[in-house]
Amino acid sequence: MTLDDIIAQHHNQVLARIQAAAKRAGRPVDAVGLIAVSKQQPVAAIRAAYRAGQRAFGESYLQEALTKQAQLTDLTDIEWHFIGRIQSNKTRQIAAHFDWVHGLADPGHARRLSEQRPVGRSPLNVCLQVNLSGETTKGGVAPEALGPLLEHCRALPGLCVRGLMTLPAPSEDEATQRRPFRQLRELRDRFATPDCPLEVLSMGMSDDLEAAILEGATLVRIGSAIFGARLG
Ligand SMILES: *Cc1c(COP(=O)(O)O)cnc(C)c1O
């Protein structure tokens, strides 16, 4: 099988998993979007996923992403999601080269991304990251700090706050996997307002997408289940 065939097959398998989980959750299948996480994957793999119909791609490392984007300018309808750690000295390029940022958790980063969003582009879509496993190594704000961060970000003209994101510690069993996802949904329900409904819950990866969808994920971020092992 060619790379194209393999990735198309994996992509289909992921779509089938999403469909089955949505069905189990009693949710419409089109309520769950798929971001293909192409970090540490070559441009050829992105092209293969694109040919399989994938349009939203997630990248974690800015320089790597910019290099690949420069080789993919012919694919004009790709939607780029920055899902990595944000560094202050990288915000200008993130604001210029991405459509979405997941994992926003710092008011200063938010202000910079807003100010640096190029004139004439629609506001940058952002998801605020919440740390629900209490691990200091993971990014995200504590649940208690979400309210003030949300107020701050909503006031920034260059940003459009779309929802919440979380990246829990990996776990084996579904009940444990579901706990932080449920907490994220409950936070969303608590902070949603008519003019900022926080309709996006960005949660779920290759190993826990079912648990995330059962708890209301609207965007799952899937890497290895589509592309296989990463180069790095
Ligand atoms: C790498 C990564 C993913 C994808 O992980 P897989 O286990 O390969 O599906 C999702 N979200 C974030 C934030 C990541 O860094």
Side-chain angles (χ1 to χ4, degrees):
M1 285 210 293
T2 65
L3 178 70
D4 264 36
D5 294 337
I6 294 167
I7 287 178
Q9 193 180 79
H10 289 173
H11 187 256
N12 254 327
Q13 286 163 358
V14 168
L15 293 178
R17 282 175 65 189
I18 291 172
Q19 195 167 5
K23 195 168 169 202
R24 221 179 117 197
R27 303 178 55 208
V29 65
D30 64 4
V32 186
L34 170 60
I35 300 173
V37 175
S38 48
K39 66 179 180 209
Q40 296 175 308
Q41 298 292 345
V43 161
I46 297 178
R47 288 195 181 276
Y50 184 92
R51 277 191 284 269
Q54 184 63 34
R55 293 296 179 270
F57 290 86
E59 290 281 341
S60 298
Y61 308 106
L62 181 66
Q63 199 47 57
E64 177 198 333
L66 297 181
T67 303
K68 291 193 288 189
Q69 286 176 352
Q71 298 171 63
L72 293 165
T73 50
D74 54 312
L75 308 183
T76 52
D77 58 346
I78 286 190
E79 185 178 84
W80 291 105
H81 295 247
F82 188 79
I83 64 168
R85 258 182 197 278
I86 302 165
Q87 294 170 273
S88 299
N89 61 347
K90 305 279 172 65
T91 52
R92 184 176 299 281
Q93 284 183 300
I94 294 172
H97 294 282
F98 287 84
D99 304 294
W100 284 73
V101 170
H102 303 242
L104 184 57
D106 179 278
H109 293 165
R111 183 181 43 75
R112 292 172 65 93
L113 288 169
S114 175
E115 285 171 5
Q116 294 168 343
R117 183 68 169 168
V119 176
R121 302 268 319 260
S122 55
L124 184 63
N125 297 298
V126 298
C127 293
L128 307 185
Q129 184 174 357
V130 186
N131 184 339
L132 292 166
S133 43
E135 287 179 81
T136 49
T137 54
K138 302 270 177 182
V141 292
E144 307 79 63
L146 178 61
L149 179 68
L150 182 59
E151 284 312 302
H152 173 80
C153 292
R154 283 188 53 189
L156 295 170
L159 303 186
C160 180
V161 181
R162 300 296 300 273
L164 305 179
M165 180 269 207
T166 197
L167 180 58
S171 109
E172 295 289 315
D173 75 295
E174 196 174 83
T176 312
Q177 290 174 349
R178 287 179 68 161
R179 198 170 308 132
F181 297 146
R182 181 179 325 125
Q183 289 170 336
L184 196 72
R185 171 167 52 80
E186 289 168 355
L187 277 174
R188 191 276 308 279
D189 294 346
R190 194 166 119 213
F191 284 103
T193 57
D195 58 335
C196 188
L198 301 174
E199 76 280 10
V200 172
L201 290 177
S202 168
M203 57 190 197
M205 322 204 300
S206 293
D207 291 333
D208 55 15
L209 75 88
E210 284 83 4
I213 290 170
L214 288 169
E215 295 297 347
T218 68
L219 279 180
V220 291
R221 310 177 308 266
I222 309 299
S224 49
I226 297 173
F227 296 112
R230 287 183 272 272
L231 300 172

